[in-house]
Each structure stands twice: as C-alpha cells, then as structure tokens.
Amino acid sequence: MKAKNRFLAAILIFCMTVLTGCIQQSDPTEEKLSDNTYAFISKNVQNSYMQKLYQGFNAACREAGVSAIYKAPVSYMPQEQADIINELIEAGVKGIAVAANDENALTEVLQKAMDSGIKVVSVDSAVNASARQVHIQQADPDKIGRTLISSAYDAIGGQGGIAILSSTEHATNQNLWIEYMKKEVEENPEKYSSAPIIEVAYGDDDITKSTSETQRLLQNPEIKAIVVPTSVGIMAAGEVIRNSDSAVKLIGLGMPSQMSEFIENGTCQKMYLWNPVDTGYLAAYALNALNGGQITGAEGDIFTAGSLGEKTVTVDTTGGTEIMLGDLVEFNKDNISEWKDAF
Ligand code: RAM
C-alpha cells in the first residue's frame, strides 16, 4: 500500500473508532424524547433482573407505537428515583412505570407527575396507593411468601433455623413476601416449632454485601436454610455456599439463566420466579390503556394487554388496585434446563 493510501486508511479507521465510541457511549436517556414516550425506572442500574423487565416494557411500547426509555439510579437511595421522576416530568413523558426503592418516599413527586397528566404505575415493588394509578403485581405475594418458607421447611425436614437474606430494608416487594413468610410460621406454630425464622438479614441487592452477609449467616450453626427472595442476593448466596461446601440449604427467587449452575449442582434446592419480561410488558400495556382511556385504574376495569390477552384491575391488600400477571414457576433439577435460556 502506498504511503498516501496508508495515511488515508489510518484516518478512516480513526474516524470510525471515534464514531463508534460516541455511539456506544451516548446515553439513550439523553436523547430527545418523542412526543409519546413511556419511561421505565429501574431499582438500580446494576440489577439485571430489571433489564429483563425493560425488555418486555420496550417490546410492548414498540407494539403500541410508543417510544420507551430506561432510567436507572446508581444507588438504591429513593431520592435518586425522585430526581429521575422530576426530570421525566420536565421532559414531558406520557407514562412512568417505577420499581420503587421505597413505598412512601416517592409519593409527592409521583402525585406531581399524575397532576401534570402523566400516567403512573408501579411495577415489581409498589409505591403506596395514593402515588400511582395501579400496581403491576408479578404473582400473589401471599403465595410467594408461604411457598418460599414452606420449601425451606421441606428442604431441612422441618429441623433447624431458617434465615432470610433480603434485598434492602425498605423494598416493598421483599418486605411483603417476608410478612407472609412470618404469617405462615405464626399460623402453623406446631409445624414450625423446630424450624423457626431466626434472622432477617439485608444484602441490599449488592453482590459484595450479600456475599459477606451470607458468610456471616453461615457462621451460625443453628441456621440450616437460607431463603433469598432476590435475584441478586441468591446468586451471591449460591456462590458462598458452593465455595464453602456448606450443607446449608438455599431456597429463593432468581433467574434460571443466572442460577442454573447452582440448581444443577445441588447448591440451590428450589427456586421460583414469574416471567420478568412479561411483567414489564404488562406495565407498558397498562400505561397505554390508562392513556387511551380504556382503564382508569379502578377495580373491575378490563383491557387487552397485547399477547397476554385480557387483564382485569383488582383490589390489592393495601386498599389500592393492582393487575396480576400470573403464577409462580418452580425451578428444580428436573426442569431447569428447559428454562435457563428463557430469562
Ligand atoms: C431482585 C429485585 C426485584 C425482585 C427480584 C426477584 O432483582 O429485588 O425487586 O423482584 O429480585
């Protein structure tokens, strides 16, 4: 190649590299919003479960001819979600779906959003009923809580202490599930007399803290099972239990794509979840039905949520309303291979 050609080729490669860098680094949230945009606010930027919700949210927005935008706080501090909501009000989005890091801390800003005409749903982790039009409920919280604790009971044959490793202290969804775990134990005192819940720990949906909390729990010889109702925490717990060859049983909620190894090698006895992609999909369709006037979020409202079919708004346990996605799926050694590529 002649020197001149080599020089031109070098300039071309340089320009392409700069351009590609710009494209990759450009924050999609900085782009100018279309006139009709629905925003999804994640619990945290590092939580990959949230990205599965957004996958479905985005797909539903595309089907409905609406733009979608993903916003994620860097920490689990509720103020960061409040700041994001203020920005979205300014930007003039038409709908907000938020997986809340605190049930009550977003009330004022979400009411401001609704007052300005933005439709609001909470998804995965609820805000209180006055701060949303409706909540998107993944599966019955009563059933989730009771199923998790009774599976832990079964895994240890009813003999030994059970610890819970949750996410953050203020997470509405995990707290509700833990409430039902405790209820199950209280309502069946004889059954659980030798398998009490002895501690609730918090890993903050952070791998490092979930790891050190699991290590700490394993120091307690009374603990024979750990229930981890969070996809982030259960991965950390699986790693610690496997690496320490511990006989402590692991039960919880998690994604098959991340946990198949631990289920196949027996570290995690049973795990449950619903379809996270469908959860996000349902949230976007609910926003669309609110915007189109098919529903107002009141009990008895009915709408069609794309490929999920007809959905009905029902009352929740807090006096607000919710739209239920479906049921829990159990993952174990026998079926995990069928699920690990799904989500
Ligand atoms: C974590 C989050 C989320 C929860 C899932 C199961 O990703 O805490 O809120 O629903 O786990």
Side-chain angles (χ1 to χ4, degrees):
M1 202 191 281
K2 284 199 187 119
K4 190 180 164 202
N5 285 351
R6 268 205 304 271
F7 178 68
L8 286 175
I11 290 190
L12 191 68
I13 290 168
F14 174 76
C15 291
M16 282 170 68
T17 311
V18 169
L19 200 67
T20 318
C22 290
I23 292 167
Q24 282 169 351
Q25 279 163 27
S26 79
D27 179 353
T29 61
E30 299 293 316
E31 283 166 17
K32 195 181 170 310
L33 299 184
S34 86
D35 288 344
N36 209 359
T37 300
Y38 298 164
F40 177 90
I41 308 176
S42 155
K43 269 184 166 180
N44 187 277
V45 72
Q46 282 178 357
N47 185 331
S48 48
Y49 171 84
M50 291 285 137
Q51 281 149 16
K52 290 285 168 198
L53 292 189
Y54 183 67
Q55 191 184 315
F57 186 87
N58 192 24
C61 284
R62 252 184 284 131
E63 285 175 17
V66 175
S67 303
I69 188 173
Y70 182 78
K71 288 282 196 176
V74 179
S75 81
Y76 285 85
M77 295 296 290
Q79 186 53 44
E80 275 194 60
Q81 290 193 321
D83 293 344
I84 290 173
I85 295 163
N86 268 317
E87 281 167 29
L88 292 170
I89 297 171
E90 285 284 305
V93 297
K94 296 284 188 292
I96 292 175
V98 58
N101 284 322
D102 188 295
E103 185 180 4
N104 299 312
L106 304 177
T107 307
E108 203 180 310
V109 70
L110 287 176
Q111 283 176 349
K112 182 172 142 197
M114 289 189 288
D115 288 347
S116 72
I118 300 171
K119 302 302 178 196
V120 173
V121 301
S122 47
V123 57
D124 179 62
S125 183
V127 289
N128 71 58
S130 73
R132 64 181 205 225
Q133 257 108 11
V134 64
H135 176 63
I136 310 303
Q137 188 69 272
Q138 46 273 58
D140 183 5
D142 182 320
K143 186 169 176 193
I144 296 172
R146 291 180 195 269
T147 303
L148 287 173
I149 203 73
S150 59
S151 288
Y153 175 96
D154 291 343
I156 55 175
Q159 297 296 317
I162 301 173
I164 298 166
L165 175 66
S166 189
S167 60
T168 59
E169 237 175 294
H170 298 285
T172 329
N173 52 341
Q174 271 87 18
N175 283 350
L176 193 57
W177 301 331
I178 293 170
E179 227 178 79
Y180 283 111
M181 291 184 214
K182 289 182 174 166
K183 221 175 184 178
E184 171 71 12
V185 172
E186 275 157 28
E187 286 172 5
N188 300 284
E190 247 172 67
K191 174 177 171 184
Y192 286 92
S193 59
S194 302
I197 296 174
I198 54 178
E199 183 175 346
V200 180
Y202 298 93
D204 290 349
D205 269 357
D206 172 80
I207 292 278
T208 311
K209 188 167 179 215
S210 304
T211 300
S212 58
E213 282 300 277
T214 308
Q215 285 162 341
R216 186 181 62 73
L217 293 172
L218 291 188
Q219 301 299 309
N220 182 345
E222 282 175 29
I223 293 173
K224 301 291 183 221
I226 306 181
V227 176
V228 191
T230 137
S231 63
V232 182
I234 199 169
M235 274 195 297
E239 197 77 37
V240 173
I241 292 174
R242 194 237 348 243
N243 293 348
S244 56
D245 272 334
S246 165
V248 165
K249 308 294 184 200
L250 177 63
I251 303 289
L253 303 175
M255 291 202 285
S257 56
Q258 297 179 324
M259 287 295 292
S260 61
E261 177 198 344
F262 297 115
I263 293 176
E264 276 157 6
N265 69 20
T267 305
C268 175
Q269 281 65 44
K270 266 185 197 170
M271 190 183 78
Y272 302 84
L273 202 69
W274 41 86
N275 186 322
V277 181
D278 285 351
T279 311
Y281 183 92
L282 179 56
Y285 264 103
L287 286 176
N288 212 45
L290 286 163
N291 266 309
Q294 289 94 2
I295 64 171
T296 60
E299 185 189 4
D301 283 356
I302 296 177
F303 68 108
T304 302
S307 58
L308 295 174
E310 205 168 81
K311 287 282 167 188
T312 305
V313 178
T314 52
V315 283
D316 72 2
T317 49
T318 69
T321 58
E322 66 184 15
I323 303 163
M324 186 79 76
L325 173 70
D327 208 354
L328 277 177
V329 182
E330 178 188 309
F331 308 108
N332 52 44
K333 267 190 180 163
D334 297 334
N335 71 356
I336 192 67
S337 61
E338 297 157 31
W339 287 96
K340 62 183 172 194
D341 298 323
F343 45 80

